[in-house]
Amino acid sequence: MQAICLGLKRKGRKIAFVPTMGALHEGHLSLVRRARKLGDTVVVSVFVNPTQFAPGEDFARYPRPLSADKRLLVTEKVDLLFLPTASDIYSTDHSTFVDVEEISSILEGAARPGHFRGVATVVAKLLNVVCPDVAVFGQKDGQQVAMIKSMVRHLNFPARIVVAPTVRERSGLAMSSRNRYFNQEQLSRASCIHRGMRAAEALAIAGEEDPAKIEAAARSEIEPTPGVRIDYIAILDPDDLRTLDRVEGKAGIFVAVWLDGVRLIDNIIVRPSRRGRK
Ligand code: AMP
């Protein structure tokens, strides 16, 4: 794969890369379409990365509908699909890991120890194999985006990182491969996450600056939903994930909930310029 990609680059092709874990949906496809606009050759990887799942998480049951994924990628006219096995990526003596400290220790990192070390390591390896000019990631995984941007800067990867907006169902629920675990009734309950974030956003746009009050607005929308347990609702700087004392500038509302045993994450970015302020 590396030889193929380096060969393409020698011919002057600009490679745009979309790494995924498969079970593709419109969110992934929006990244592919963005990549198409950014490069001449679009490379998509499908790899369910074992090192980012902790023991007891859903690695074994993570959906792997490969034939359907391939059909979607053919429809999107993707140039190359990189479909490595775990042993292609991790040799038996693999013992080198990338750890983006601080950003990896909070939110998802606190709830899923080792998760971001696994993500950073596999993304670093994929960037070294595919050698893209640009790699496209989704805002849906807001903490992951912040971590990857830091890693690329800290380790001087030559790739440009582009972030694409979150694609949602009509209910507002962010599209996710894990939504396949749910039936219609569960999907409808899951939409409380989006309602909660929008309630928080509305309060912030109306002029509320206290992060605790903004968080409470989201909580009161999400918490009463049956089967839902909130892990966190955090109002943070979306770029470096630092705590905000006041919501005056751009703010990220980050949410993680458990719904009937499935962990769902989402976030939106609130922009103060839209406030109805004097
Ligand atoms: P995954 O297959 O879940 O690892 O996701 C692969 C890429 O697709 C990541 O950059 C995700 O952030 C992105 N992605 C997942 N869901 C969405 C969505 N609903 N909208 C936009 N991007 C998404």
Side-chain angles (χ1 to χ4, degrees):
M1 188 65 191
Q2 197 179 46
I4 291 168
C5 291
L6 287 174
L8 287 165
K9 284 171 82 77
R10 270 196 297 276
K11 286 187 197 146
R13 308 283 297 210
K14 191 170 171 191
I15 297 180
F17 177 42
V18 181
T20 81
M21 297 208 301
L24 302 177
H25 49 67
E26 275 298 314
H28 297 113
L29 300 184
S30 75
L31 270 49
V32 170
R33 288 168 202 147
R34 184 72 175 270
R36 171 65 63 215
K37 290 194 182 127
L38 295 165
D40 320 304
T41 301
V42 175
V43 179
V44 173
S45 63
V46 171
F47 179 57
V48 185
N49 173 37
T51 64
Q52 71 189 67
F53 291 80
E57 289 188 350
D58 58 347
F59 174 69
R61 76 163 178 140
Y62 197 84
R64 292 166 170 84
L66 188 55
S67 309
D69 285 354
K70 282 183 180 166
R71 276 197 296 278
L72 288 170
L73 295 176
V74 167
T75 307
E76 294 297 328
K77 298 190 169 58
V78 163
D79 298 285
L80 289 172
L81 166 61
F82 183 38
L83 196 62
T85 63
S87 56
D88 291 333
I89 296 290
Y90 299 108
S91 57
T92 47
D93 67 338
H94 184 91
S95 58
T96 304
F97 293 89
V98 180
D99 211 339
V100 186
E101 294 177 358
E102 287 203 19
I103 250 179
S104 301
S105 63
I106 58 170
L107 308 185
E108 287 308 285
R112 304 181 65 190
H115 170 66
F116 282 121
R117 185 172 98 138
V119 174
T121 302
V122 81
V123 171
K125 286 169 72 70
L126 291 170
L127 292 178
N128 281 334
V129 171
V130 176
C131 310
D133 297 272
V134 50
V136 188
F137 292 85
Q139 178 59 37
K140 156 78 170 55
D141 298 281
Q143 188 177 7
Q144 173 174 283
V145 157
M147 185 205 68
I148 287 166
K149 281 184 169 172
S150 293
M151 179 188 81
V152 161
R153 191 163 48 82
H154 296 164
L155 297 183
N156 307 96
F157 280 94
R160 181 161 73 93
I161 302 301
V162 166
V163 181
T166 303
V167 177
R168 300 180 178 281
E169 305 285 354
R170 286 180 61 151
S171 67
L173 176 65
M175 290 195 182
S176 163
S177 303
R178 288 190 169 94
N179 292 353
R180 291 175 189 236
Y181 297 145
F182 295 133
N183 60 31
Q184 279 306 319
E185 180 275 327
Q186 289 170 309
L187 288 170
S188 133
R189 274 188 282 138
S191 65
C192 70
I193 300 169
H194 184 249
R195 282 200 309 280
M197 294 192 303
R198 290 292 172 217
E201 179 187 45
L203 196 61
I205 286 176
E208 180 58 62
E209 293 186 351
D210 181 352
K213 290 193 179 142
I214 295 169
E215 188 214 304
R219 189 170 289 274
S220 62
E221 192 69 46
I222 297 171
E223 207 152 46
T225 310
V228 166
R229 182 165 63 77
I230 296 172
D231 186 1
Y232 59 73
I233 300 172
I235 317 295
L236 304 171
D237 183 315
D239 297 321
D240 58 15
L241 305 189
R242 287 192 200 284
T243 309
L244 294 171
D245 296 329
R246 306 214 67 75
V247 176
E248 290 161 332
K250 192 169 72 165
I253 302 170
F254 293 84
V255 178
V257 307
W258 287 95
L259 188 137
D260 297 347
V262 176
R263 188 184 175 78
L264 294 174
I265 59 169
D266 202 347
N267 70 87
I268 56 170
I269 298 174
V270 180
R271 294 179 194 277
S273 53
R274 294 198 193 141
R275 282 187 185 175
R277 289 239 170 113
K278 288 174 203 137

